[in-house]
Amino acid sequence: MVTAAQVWEAFEQIPDPEIPVVSLVDLGVIRSVDVSDGHVRVEFTPTFLGCPALEVMKQALEAKVSELGAEPDVQVVQDDSWSTDKITPAGREKLRAAGFAPPPPREASAPKLVQLQASVHRCPYCGSTETKLENIFGPTPCRSLRWCESCRQPFEQFKTI
Amino acid sequence: MNALLLGLADDELVLGWRDSEWTGIAPMLEEDVAFSSIAQNEIGHARALYQLLGDNPDALAFDRPLDEYRCAPLVELRLLDWARTIARRWLYEVADEIRIAALMEDGDPAVAGLAAKINREEAYHRMHAEMWHERLRETPQFRAAVEELWPYAVGLLPEGQRDELAARVSLPLPGDSLLLGKERGAHTDELAELWDEMTMVRRSAPAGAQW
């Protein structure tokens, strides 16, 4: 009989479809795993609701549970319980190593443009904070585009949610 | 079905569609990226809201006859110039923030939870709208666009939320005659054209087709 620990371990093998250097566990999008009588109920939270990878992630979770010989029941939880603060320290380090600046911590109030425009965001390549906002938006809803004045190249910055 | 949520979902779907029309033709490359991303996210919000309202978001998005859509005329307009497009984005985001804040207090935790999630994401759309508003606010084209679209923006919200909208954008509420045809419940001719295009592929295949 499969255990919750085995399910979590298996989920660590599922890469994020858009940024495969991190797993779904690293991203912190799996809220809970409950195992009973060969059924595995998983609660999963989207990063951004506009994420095109949402359905792919759900299918990957279902497939992984099936591979373990259990019956999957994957529920997408559409509430505010996921935050970029849930990305694990290991996940943040993997993002940085792959050239994605990890998100700043969530604050009590909504993020402001002036914060994004401030040169406090660190370049994932050279570590400089001499960076500027190029675009609030990027290739996926969860990212914005910045430019590093020190190493003269663009990089992607995770948005805080 | 919750008419308020359906109206919000339809607004986000149709505005997402309209915003996506700028992909590739925006006046600067960064805005191609921004409008595409905003459009994608608005449609994601529509999907999440449809999911809350029924088991089949696609059916709600695409299988209804035209007169069952609850979107407001503001989002239906096909705006072909940048000043009007930005004026709509700015007015829409200010109005949207007011109604989302109200939904975050909803007694149904599923509604309040989803509204809180949407609110977090909309913060970035608001920044974009505010940035452009700051840039264009003194230009004659933008002022004319705001004046033209203001009654439509009022038509997005129920009466109880309109005073707050007027206060936030510092404009007087228009009289009833100016609101005619611009409030939720009315539709513009542009919606028919959009509906035809938006549902074309789905209508072309028999029910149950796998994509």
Side-chain angles (χ1 to χ4, degrees), chain A residues 47-100:
Chain A
T47 54
F48 271 71
L49 293 166
C51 179
L54 189 56
E55 198 56 34
V56 178
M57 290 182 185
K58 183 169 182 267
Q59 286 166 6
L61 291 166
E62 286 166 349
K64 210 48 133 177
V65 171
S66 299
E67 273 174 37
L68 294 170
E71 186 67 35
D73 172 15
V74 179
Q75 298 290 328
V76 180
V77 182
Q78 303 189 128
D79 67 11
D80 190 31
S81 59
W82 186 79
S83 156
T84 35
D85 292 353
K86 300 233 168 160
I87 301 174
T88 62
R92 291 175 68 86
E93 202 36 60
K94 288 180 201 170
L95 287 173
R96 193 187 337 265
F100 299 100

Side-chain angles (χ1 to χ4, degrees), chain B residues 5-201:
Chain B
L5 290 184
L6 186 61
L8 173 59
D10 287 348
D11 284 349
E12 299 270 294
L13 176 72
V14 171
L15 185 59
W17 188 271
R18 285 302 186 209
D19 284 340
S20 78
E21 291 173 336
W22 282 100
T23 301
I25 58 166
M28 52 186 86
L29 196 54
E30 296 299 352
E31 287 304 315
D32 278 349
V33 174
F35 266 76
S36 307
S37 190
I38 291 170
Q40 183 184 14
N41 213 34
E42 299 289 23
I43 291 172
H45 294 167
R47 178 180 58 184
L49 288 158
Y50 290 139
Q51 189 83 58
L52 203 62
L53 292 166
D55 330 323
N56 189 340
D58 285 322
L60 272 173
F62 302 123
D63 295 346
R64 280 177 293 159
L66 188 62
D67 59 4
E68 287 183 21
Y69 281 77
R70 294 287 305 152
C71 47
L74 177 73
V75 298
E76 300 172 7
L77 302 172
R78 185 154 191 251
L79 302 178
L80 298 173
D81 74 81
W82 192 245
R84 294 165 84 214
T85 298
I86 294 297
R88 171 166 63 191
R89 279 231 60 80
W90 176 65
L91 290 167
Y92 182 85
E93 290 300 342
V94 177
D96 200 41
E97 186 172 13
I98 294 168
R99 63 178 166 179
I100 298 289
L103 286 174
M104 285 166 67
E105 307 295 323
D106 198 278
D108 179 347
V111 173
L114 178 55
K117 173 85 175 154
I118 290 175
N119 189 52
R120 294 257 179 219
E121 301 183 0
E122 290 288 349
Y124 291 97
H125 301 189
R126 286 173 207 142
M127 275 183 212
H128 174 264
E130 197 48 50
M131 184 183 76
W132 273 103
H133 175 248
E134 283 301 312
R135 195 177 294 181
L136 299 185
R137 60 190 299 174
E138 301 303 335
T139 65
Q141 298 97 315
F142 186 74
R143 287 175 168 203
V146 169
E147 193 177 333
E148 175 204 342
L149 296 175
W150 170 234
Y152 286 97
V154 172
L156 271 175
L157 296 182
E159 282 190 23
Q161 294 175 345
R162 291 179 180 181
D163 284 332
E164 190 180 349
L165 174 63
R168 287 211 197 177
V169 297
S170 305
L171 289 168
L173 282 178
D176 287 348
S177 62
L178 281 172
L179 290 174
L180 205 63
K182 296 166 189 163
E183 295 185 273
R184 192 178 304 283
H187 286 305
T188 61
D189 294 341
E190 278 110 316
L191 181 67
E193 203 182 324
L194 185 146
W195 180 88
D196 194 50
E197 195 177 326
M198 187 170 78
T199 60
M200 183 186 289
V201 175

Side-chain angles (χ1 to χ4, degrees), chain A residues 13-29:
Chain A
Q13 310 304 316
I14 304 177
D16 175 78
E18 298 274 357
I19 308 173
V21 296
V22 287
S23 76
L24 297 191
V25 174
D26 291 327
L27 271 182
V29 293

